[in-house]
Amino acid sequence: MPDRETMPSSPAPEVSERAAALPQDALRIASGYAFTGPALHLGALLWDGQCLPDAQIRVPLAMLNRHGLVAGATGTGKTKTLQLIAEQLSAQGVPVFLADIKGDLSGIAAPGRRDARVEGRAADVHQSWRATGFPAEYYALGGIGRGIPVRATVTGFGPVLLSKVLRLNRTQEQSLALIFHYADSKGLELIDLKDLRAVVTFLTSDEGRSELKTIGGLSAATAGVILRSLTAFEAQGASGFFGEPEFDTAELLRTGEDGRGIVSVLELSAVQDRPQLFSTFLMWLLADLFHDLPELGDVDKPRLVFFLDEAHLLFDDASEAFLESITQTVRLIRSKGVGVFFVTQTPKDVPADVLAQLGNRVQHALRAFTPDDQKALNATVKTFPKSPYDLEEVLTNLGTGEAVVTVLSEKGAPTPVAATRLRAPESLMGPLGQDALERAVAGSALYERYAQAVDRESAYERLEHGRGAKGPDEMREAAPRKPRSSREPREEEQPSAVEQVVRSGVFQSLARSVGTQIGREITRSLFGTARRSGRRRR
C-alpha cells in the first residue's frame, strides 16, 4: 500500500511555521495551496532559483473533475506527471484511464526503482518515497498490441465519430447519419465495417437505388464517396477495431479489493500510424460514459479521471460539429463525476472553447528556438493569471520534472501561479517487462469476456442472404435462421448456470443492440453514439 505521503489524506489548513518565514510573494503563493480537505501532492514551490520544500503545492481531490491540461515540450516530464497524479488518484480510490501512446506507462503496476535521482528529488521536495505498484488493467484497440481487446460496434461508435475517422466533410457526415438512420429503420444491424459497407453497397446497387430515393438528401455520388472511404479504411487494417464483444465502459469504473482505483492503461503504441483512429476511439469511450452515467453534481472525489495523451490529434482536421460535440461533452461530463485531462505540447493545440472548460493546469517547459516557438510561448504566458513570476523566462528555464502550476481551490477559484519541482512517481517509470505484461493480461478476469471476437448475423449476412429479394423488408423473411457459432455449444451442452451466460461478452453485446434488432430507431448522444440498455453500472 502507498505510504502516508502518497495517500494525501492529512489536511493542511495553514502554512507551516517554517513556511511562514518565506519571502512575502512566496508565502502568498504557498498560502493559496493550504487546503483543508484531501488533496494530491504535486511538489514543492520554486522561488528565486531555490526549491522551498516547506511550501507544498497541491490540488484538491474534489477539483479533479474540473478537467485539466498537462502541457510542455517533448522530454520535459509530462508522462511522469500523468503517472504521479494517476498514482495518487488510485490511492484515494479513484479509477483512472491512461492513453499510453508511447508504451511507457505500463510500469504503473510495478514498484519503482530507488536510485540517486529519485532520492535526490524526494529529498528536494520532502517526499517520503516508497516503491509502490498500483492495480492496473491493460487494454489494446482491437487486440492490436498487448492487452485486452477494446472493440466498438459501428452502431455504438455512431456516425459523427466515424465521419472524423473517415475524414468526411460536413455534407458527407450528414449523409452517413442518414445511412445509419436507414439501417436502424430496416433492422440492419451495423456491427462491424463489412456491415456498413454492405448497406452502402446495396444502396448504390441497381436493386437498392429505389431504397436510396427514400432517404432524403442522400445522393448516389455521396454514397459512393463514403463507400470508397470505407474501403480504404478497411485496407489500412482498421476492421479489427469494430465488432463484438463491444467493450463496456463500466469496466473503467472499478476499484480493487483493497479500495484503490483500478488504473486502465490503453496501449496505443501499436497503432501510432493511425492517430485519427485512436484519438477518436478515446472520445467514443468518453462519450459512451457520458450518456450512461447519472448526474452527481459536486462530489468529494471524481468517479473517474481520463488522461488523453497527444490531445492535438483529437482536433486535427476536425469538423465544426465534432469540435462542438467535444466542447459540450467536456462541459457536461463534469457533473457526472468524470474529469478529463488533455496532454499536449502547447495550449494552442486545444481549441479555445475547450480550454475554457479546464480548471487545473500543469505547464512544463517550452522551447523558443524559432519565431513560431516564440509566438506560442507568448500566447501561453497570456493564458496564465497575473503572477510575480516573469513567466516567459521561467517557462524557458524549467528543468525536467518542473512545471508552472495553477489549479482550482476548494472554493473553485484559481490558485496563484506556482513554479513547482514535482514529486517522483513511486511506481516503475518505464514499461513493464513483456512477460509480466502478458501474464497480467492473461490473468485478468476480463480476458475471457473480451478476448475472442464474435461474428454473428448482422447487416452483411442479411443482405447476402436476401439477394434477389425486393428490398430489406423482404429480406427479413428471406434471411435464414442465424447459424450456430463454432464457439457456441449445442443445446444439450449449454451451461446450466444462467449467470455464466449473462456475464458473457456475447450476451452483453446482444443485450445492447436489442433496439436495433427489432427495427427500433436508436436514440443517440452528442456524438451520435448509440444509447444502450442493460449496462452493468458499478
Side-chain angles (χ1 to χ4, degrees), residues 257-282:
E257 293 180 359
D258 58 3
R260 292 186 295 174
I262 302 271
V263 181
S264 299
V265 182
L266 179 64
E267 179 186 324
L268 297 170
S269 56
V271 291
Q272 286 191 66
D273 58 337
R274 281 162 277 188
Q276 287 256 334
L277 177 62
F278 72 67
S279 64
T280 310
F281 240 91
L282 297 181

mmCIF file of all heavy atoms in Angstrom, residues 257-282:
data_model
loop_
_atom_site.group_PDB
_atom_site.id
_atom_site.type_symbol
_atom_site.label_atom_id
_atom_site.label_comp_id
_atom_site.label_asym_id
_atom_site.label_seq_id
_atom_site.Cartn_x
_atom_site.Cartn_y
_atom_site.Cartn_z
ATOM 1 N N GLU A 257 -9.805 -4.802 -4.636
ATOM 2 C CA GLU A 257 -10.256 -5.340 -3.361
ATOM 3 C C GLU A 257 -9.763 -4.508 -2.183
ATOM 4 O O GLU A 257 -10.390 -4.466 -1.132
ATOM 5 C CB GLU A 257 -9.787 -6.789 -3.202
ATOM 6 C CG GLU A 257 -10.438 -7.761 -4.186
ATOM 7 C CD GLU A 257 -9.955 -9.190 -3.987
ATOM 8 O OE1 GLU A 257 -9.087 -9.391 -3.089
ATOM 9 O OE2 GLU A 257 -10.439 -10.085 -4.696
ATOM 10 N N ASP A 258 -8.626 -3.826 -2.361
ATOM 11 C CA ASP A 258 -8.086 -3.005 -1.281
ATOM 12 C C ASP A 258 -8.631 -1.582 -1.301
ATOM 13 O O ASP A 258 -8.196 -0.729 -0.523
ATOM 14 C CB ASP A 258 -6.555 -2.973 -1.340
ATOM 15 C CG ASP A 258 -6.039 -2.430 -2.674
ATOM 16 O OD1 ASP A 258 -6.856 -2.029 -3.530
ATOM 17 O OD2 ASP A 258 -4.797 -2.418 -2.867
ATOM 18 N N GLY A 259 -9.599 -1.304 -2.196
ATOM 19 C CA GLY A 259 -10.224 0.014 -2.251
ATOM 20 C C GLY A 259 -9.529 0.995 -3.173
ATOM 21 O O GLY A 259 -10.059 2.089 -3.414
ATOM 22 N N ARG A 260 -8.369 0.646 -3.694
ATOM 23 C CA ARG A 260 -7.685 1.557 -4.611
ATOM 24 C C ARG A 260 -8.336 1.514 -5.992
ATOM 25 O O ARG A 260 -8.854 0.480 -6.414
ATOM 26 C CB ARG A 260 -6.202 1.200 -4.716
ATOM 27 C CG ARG A 260 -5.419 1.458 -3.435
ATOM 28 C CD ARG A 260 -3.937 1.241 -3.629
ATOM 29 N NE ARG A 260 -3.614 -0.152 -3.942
ATOM 30 C CZ ARG A 260 -2.396 -0.571 -4.264
ATOM 31 N NH1 ARG A 260 -1.400 0.292 -4.360
ATOM 32 N NH2 ARG A 260 -2.175 -1.851 -4.526
ATOM 33 N N GLY A 261 -8.303 2.636 -6.679
ATOM 34 C CA GLY A 261 -8.876 2.698 -8.010
ATOM 35 C C GLY A 261 -8.049 1.920 -9.011
ATOM 36 O O GLY A 261 -6.813 1.950 -8.972
ATOM 37 N N ILE A 262 -8.714 1.205 -9.926
ATOM 38 C CA ILE A 262 -8.018 0.482 -10.993
ATOM 39 C C ILE A 262 -7.522 1.495 -12.035
ATOM 40 O O ILE A 262 -8.264 2.377 -12.470
ATOM 41 C CB ILE A 262 -8.952 -0.530 -11.676
ATOM 42 C CG1 ILE A 262 -9.500 -1.518 -10.661
ATOM 43 C CG2 ILE A 262 -8.254 -1.213 -12.846
ATOM 44 C CD1 ILE A 262 -8.708 -2.735 -10.417
ATOM 45 N N VAL A 263 -6.276 1.357 -12.419
ATOM 46 C CA VAL A 263 -5.711 2.185 -13.478
ATOM 47 C C VAL A 263 -5.837 1.420 -14.791
ATOM 48 O O VAL A 263 -5.221 0.359 -14.967
ATOM 49 C CB VAL A 263 -4.236 2.530 -13.199
ATOM 50 C CG1 VAL A 263 -3.676 3.411 -14.317
ATOM 51 C CG2 VAL A 263 -4.089 3.229 -11.856
ATOM 52 N N SER A 264 -6.647 1.923 -15.702
ATOM 53 C CA SER A 264 -6.846 1.285 -17.005
ATOM 54 C C SER A 264 -5.869 1.898 -17.998
ATOM 55 O O SER A 264 -5.935 3.092 -18.283
ATOM 56 C CB SER A 264 -8.283 1.485 -17.491
ATOM 57 O OG SER A 264 -9.201 0.895 -16.593
ATOM 58 N N VAL A 265 -4.967 1.075 -18.508
ATOM 59 C CA VAL A 265 -3.920 1.543 -19.418
ATOM 60 C C VAL A 265 -4.233 1.031 -20.822
ATOM 61 O O VAL A 265 -4.214 -0.178 -21.066
ATOM 62 C CB VAL A 265 -2.531 1.052 -18.972
ATOM 63 C CG1 VAL A 265 -1.451 1.601 -19.899
ATOM 64 C CG2 VAL A 265 -2.254 1.460 -17.525
ATOM 65 N N LEU A 266 -4.553 1.934 -21.724
ATOM 66 C CA LEU A 266 -4.843 1.559 -23.110
ATOM 67 C C LEU A 266 -3.579 1.749 -23.941
ATOM 68 O O LEU A 266 -3.140 2.877 -24.178
ATOM 69 C CB LEU A 266 -5.979 2.413 -23.674
ATOM 70 C CG LEU A 266 -6.368 2.140 -25.130
ATOM 71 C CD1 LEU A 266 -6.908 0.723 -25.286
ATOM 72 C CD2 LEU A 266 -7.401 3.148 -25.618
ATOM 73 N N GLU A 267 -2.988 0.647 -24.361
ATOM 74 C CA GLU A 267 -1.755 0.707 -25.147
ATOM 75 C C GLU A 267 -2.078 1.116 -26.583
ATOM 76 O O GLU A 267 -2.878 0.466 -27.265
ATOM 77 C CB GLU A 267 -1.048 -0.646 -25.146
ATOM 78 C CG GLU A 267 0.236 -0.637 -25.969
ATOM 79 C CD GLU A 267 0.874 -2.011 -26.085
ATOM 80 O OE1 GLU A 267 0.803 -2.775 -25.108
ATOM 81 O OE2 GLU A 267 1.424 -2.307 -27.162
ATOM 82 N N LEU A 268 -1.443 2.196 -27.033
ATOM 83 C CA LEU A 268 -1.704 2.720 -28.369
ATOM 84 C C LEU A 268 -0.453 2.759 -29.233
ATOM 85 O O LEU A 268 -0.513 3.205 -30.378
ATOM 86 C CB LEU A 268 -2.304 4.132 -28.264
ATOM 87 C CG LEU A 268 -3.664 4.211 -27.563
ATOM 88 C CD1 LEU A 268 -4.042 5.658 -27.287
ATOM 89 C CD2 LEU A 268 -4.739 3.541 -28.407
ATOM 90 N N SER A 269 0.662 2.301 -28.695
ATOM 91 C CA SER A 269 1.905 2.378 -29.462
ATOM 92 C C SER A 269 1.836 1.555 -30.740
ATOM 93 O O SER A 269 2.484 1.888 -31.743
ATOM 94 C CB SER A 269 3.089 1.909 -28.603
ATOM 95 O OG SER A 269 2.876 0.604 -28.103
ATOM 96 N N ALA A 270 1.045 0.482 -30.736
ATOM 97 C CA ALA A 270 0.956 -0.376 -31.924
ATOM 98 C C ALA A 270 0.125 0.252 -33.037
ATOM 99 O O ALA A 270 0.131 -0.249 -34.164
ATOM 100 C CB ALA A 270 0.365 -1.735 -31.550
ATOM 101 N N VAL A 271 -0.610 1.323 -32.724
ATOM 102 C CA VAL A 271 -1.449 1.962 -33.747
ATOM 103 C C VAL A 271 -1.080 3.433 -33.897
ATOM 104 O O VAL A 271 -1.919 4.264 -34.247
ATOM 105 C CB VAL A 271 -2.951 1.809 -33.408
ATOM 106 C CG1 VAL A 271 -3.378 0.366 -33.553
ATOM 107 C CG2 VAL A 271 -3.264 2.319 -32.005
ATOM 108 N N GLN A 272 0.177 3.764 -33.647
ATOM 109 C CA GLN A 272 0.600 5.159 -33.741
ATOM 110 C C GLN A 272 0.469 5.707 -35.160
ATOM 111 O O GLN A 272 0.368 6.924 -35.349
ATOM 112 C CB GLN A 272 2.051 5.302 -33.277
ATOM 113 C CG GLN A 272 2.217 5.193 -31.778
ATOM 114 C CD GLN A 272 3.604 5.605 -31.329
ATOM 115 O OE1 GLN A 272 3.995 6.759 -31.452
ATOM 116 N NE2 GLN A 272 4.358 4.650 -30.821
ATOM 117 N N ASP A 273 0.490 4.818 -36.151
ATOM 118 C CA ASP A 273 0.374 5.281 -37.525
ATOM 119 C C ASP A 273 -1.066 5.582 -37.914
ATOM 120 O O ASP A 273 -1.338 5.974 -39.043
ATOM 121 C CB ASP A 273 0.965 4.239 -38.484
ATOM 122 C CG ASP A 273 0.289 2.877 -38.356
ATOM 123 O OD1 ASP A 273 -0.291 2.609 -37.289
ATOM 124 O OD2 ASP A 273 0.347 2.094 -39.326
ATOM 125 N N ARG A 274 -2.008 5.407 -36.990
ATOM 126 C CA ARG A 274 -3.414 5.722 -37.242
ATOM 127 C C ARG A 274 -3.941 6.656 -36.161
ATOM 128 O O ARG A 274 -4.851 6.328 -35.401
ATOM 129 C CB ARG A 274 -4.243 4.438 -37.285
ATOM 130 C CG ARG A 274 -4.124 3.707 -38.612
ATOM 131 C CD ARG A 274 -4.561 2.279 -38.526
ATOM 132 N NE ARG A 274 -3.480 1.430 -38.013
ATOM 133 C CZ ARG A 274 -3.544 0.106 -37.978
ATOM 134 N NH1 ARG A 274 -4.618 -0.503 -38.398
ATOM 135 N NH2 ARG A 274 -2.540 -0.602 -37.506
ATOM 136 N N PRO A 275 -3.358 7.855 -36.059
ATOM 137 C CA PRO A 275 -3.706 8.760 -34.952
ATOM 138 C C PRO A 275 -5.163 9.188 -34.944
ATOM 139 O O PRO A 275 -5.756 9.350 -33.876
ATOM 140 C CB PRO A 275 -2.776 9.962 -35.177
ATOM 141 C CG PRO A 275 -2.397 9.906 -36.630
ATOM 142 C CD PRO A 275 -2.365 8.456 -36.968
ATOM 143 N N GLN A 276 -5.756 9.389 -36.118
ATOM 144 C CA GLN A 276 -7.164 9.783 -36.156
ATOM 145 C C GLN A 276 -8.042 8.711 -35.530
ATOM 146 O O GLN A 276 -9.001 9.014 -34.833
ATOM 147 C CB GLN A 276 -7.596 10.022 -37.609
ATOM 148 C CG GLN A 276 -7.060 11.295 -38.215
ATOM 149 C CD GLN A 276 -8.117 12.370 -38.303
ATOM 150 O OE1 GLN A 276 -9.295 12.082 -38.375
ATOM 151 N NE2 GLN A 276 -7.700 13.619 -38.307
ATOM 152 N N LEU A 277 -7.688 7.456 -35.776
ATOM 153 C CA LEU A 277 -8.494 6.359 -35.252
ATOM 154 C C LEU A 277 -8.409 6.284 -33.741
ATOM 155 O O LEU A 277 -9.426 6.274 -33.044
ATOM 156 C CB LEU A 277 -8.048 5.034 -35.870
ATOM 157 C CG LEU A 277 -8.772 3.797 -35.341
ATOM 158 C CD1 LEU A 277 -10.259 3.876 -35.636
ATOM 159 C CD2 LEU A 277 -8.179 2.536 -35.941
ATOM 160 N N PHE A 278 -7.188 6.250 -33.183
ATOM 161 C CA PHE A 278 -7.118 6.045 -31.745
ATOM 162 C C PHE A 278 -7.583 7.267 -30.971
ATOM 163 O O PHE A 278 -8.171 7.146 -29.900
ATOM 164 C CB PHE A 278 -5.723 5.563 -31.298
ATOM 165 C CG PHE A 278 -4.600 6.556 -31.336
ATOM 166 C CD1 PHE A 278 -4.567 7.646 -30.498
ATOM 167 C CD2 PHE A 278 -3.518 6.352 -32.185
ATOM 168 C CE1 PHE A 278 -3.510 8.534 -30.511
ATOM 169 C CE2 PHE A 278 -2.448 7.231 -32.194
ATOM 170 C CZ PHE A 278 -2.442 8.334 -31.363
ATOM 171 N N SER A 279 -7.362 8.474 -31.500
ATOM 172 C CA SER A 279 -7.832 9.658 -30.782
ATOM 173 C C SER A 279 -9.358 9.710 -30.773
ATOM 174 O O SER A 279 -9.979 10.079 -29.771
ATOM 175 C CB SER A 279 -7.260 10.932 -31.406
ATOM 176 O OG SER A 279 -7.720 11.109 -32.735
ATOM 177 N N THR A 280 -9.959 9.309 -31.886
ATOM 178 C CA THR A 280 -11.418 9.316 -31.952
ATOM 179 C C THR A 280 -12.003 8.196 -31.104
ATOM 180 O O THR A 280 -13.075 8.341 -30.493
ATOM 181 C CB THR A 280 -11.882 9.183 -33.411
ATOM 182 O OG1 THR A 280 -11.194 10.135 -34.213
ATOM 183 C CG2 THR A 280 -13.376 9.448 -33.524
ATOM 184 N N PHE A 281 -11.312 7.061 -31.015
ATOM 185 C CA PHE A 281 -11.771 5.983 -30.143
ATOM 186 C C PHE A 281 -11.796 6.439 -28.686
ATOM 187 O O PHE A 281 -12.687 6.068 -27.913
ATOM 188 C CB PHE A 281 -10.858 4.755 -30.288
ATOM 189 C CG PHE A 281 -11.585 3.539 -30.758
ATOM 190 C CD1 PHE A 281 -11.684 3.250 -32.101
ATOM 191 C CD2 PHE A 281 -12.202 2.686 -29.860
ATOM 192 C CE1 PHE A 281 -12.358 2.124 -32.550
ATOM 193 C CE2 PHE A 281 -12.875 1.557 -30.294
ATOM 194 C CZ PHE A 281 -12.954 1.276 -31.641
ATOM 195 N N LEU A 282 -10.825 7.257 -28.306
ATOM 196 C CA LEU A 282 -10.824 7.777 -26.941
ATOM 197 C C LEU A 282 -12.057 8.626 -26.684
ATOM 198 O O LEU A 282 -12.653 8.579 -25.599
ATOM 199 C CB LEU A 282 -9.553 8.592 -26.695
ATOM 200 C CG LEU A 282 -8.230 7.837 -26.784
ATOM 201 C CD1 LEU A 282 -7.059 8.761 -26.483
ATOM 202 C CD2 LEU A 282 -8.214 6.640 -25.848
#
